[in-house]
Amino acid sequence: MGATMQVLRGFMLLLWGVLLVITVVDPSQVDGNAAVMTAVVAGVYAVKFGWRALSARLGVNRCYLCADGVAVTDRFGRVRDSVAWSEVTGVRQTAVAGLVAGFHRVEISRSRPNTPFWRPAPPLWFVAPGIKSPLVRALLEEGRRSGALQ
């Protein structure tokens, strides 16, 4: 979803550049096209950077590493899921590197003592942005230190 929005913002900037070139060719279009499009571009980027600052302040969509385990929050800053290191049976990591973005998808498999064998506990998963994410490195080091991972 984030990569799609980034591509759409890029197309919007491209359209804005085309409108500015048209405005240079025909200056009477400043009020009709260029001013409105400039306001739209400024509004979209203001919302993007405003949401980024607000979500960082509220602790939204975060992964917290603790000595006892891992906790992941949702869009509203509440704990979505957590797992203790004693329940971890494995970690599966998928790295994706593309032209637009790169990220890691981490899936932590777990076993719960009171869960029937035919219905395994659902894995905890999260997405860490960046090709060389310090979060993934810290997660693996903390898992090895606690003895949950080899």
Side-chain angles (χ1 to χ4, degrees):
M1 178 75 176
T4 305
M5 295 305 291
Q6 187 175 4
V7 169
L8 290 176
R9 285 190 299 267
F11 283 135
M12 183 180 62
L13 282 177
L14 185 66
L15 179 63
W16 181 56
V18 169
L19 281 175
L20 289 180
V21 169
I22 291 171
T23 303
V24 170
V25 172
D26 185 11
S28 65
Q29 295 294 321
V30 171
D31 294 336
N33 293 336
V36 173
M37 189 64 180
T38 301
V40 168
V41 169
V44 165
Y45 278 93
V47 167
K48 173 191 169 192
F49 291 118
W51 173 250
R52 187 179 287 177
L54 181 65
S55 65
R57 178 171 283 210
L58 296 177
V60 174
N61 290 329
R62 299 275 183 191
C63 176
Y64 295 100
L65 294 176
C66 306
D68 297 336
V70 180
V72 178
T73 61
D74 63 4
R75 293 179 197 213
F76 302 108
R78 292 176 279 172
V79 175
R80 175 179 57 123
D81 201 358
S82 64
V83 63
W85 288 119
S86 60
E87 297 176 354
V88 173
T89 59
V91 174
R92 189 168 68 187
Q93 171 191 355
T94 306
V96 176
L99 293 174
V100 178
F103 63 90
H104 292 266
R105 184 181 192 279
V106 179
E107 190 172 300
I108 301 174
S109 303
R110 59 182 159 189
S111 65
R112 291 203 175 149
N114 297 330
T115 310
F117 69 91
W118 63 85
R119 202 176 100 218
L124 178 135
W125 65 272
F126 62 90
V127 175
I131 300 294
K132 295 181 180 179
S133 176
L135 174 63
V136 174
R137 189 176 317 117
L139 173 92
L140 295 175
E141 287 175 8
E142 184 67 27
R144 287 184 192 104
R145 191 182 64 72
S146 68
L149 303 174
Q150 275 24 299

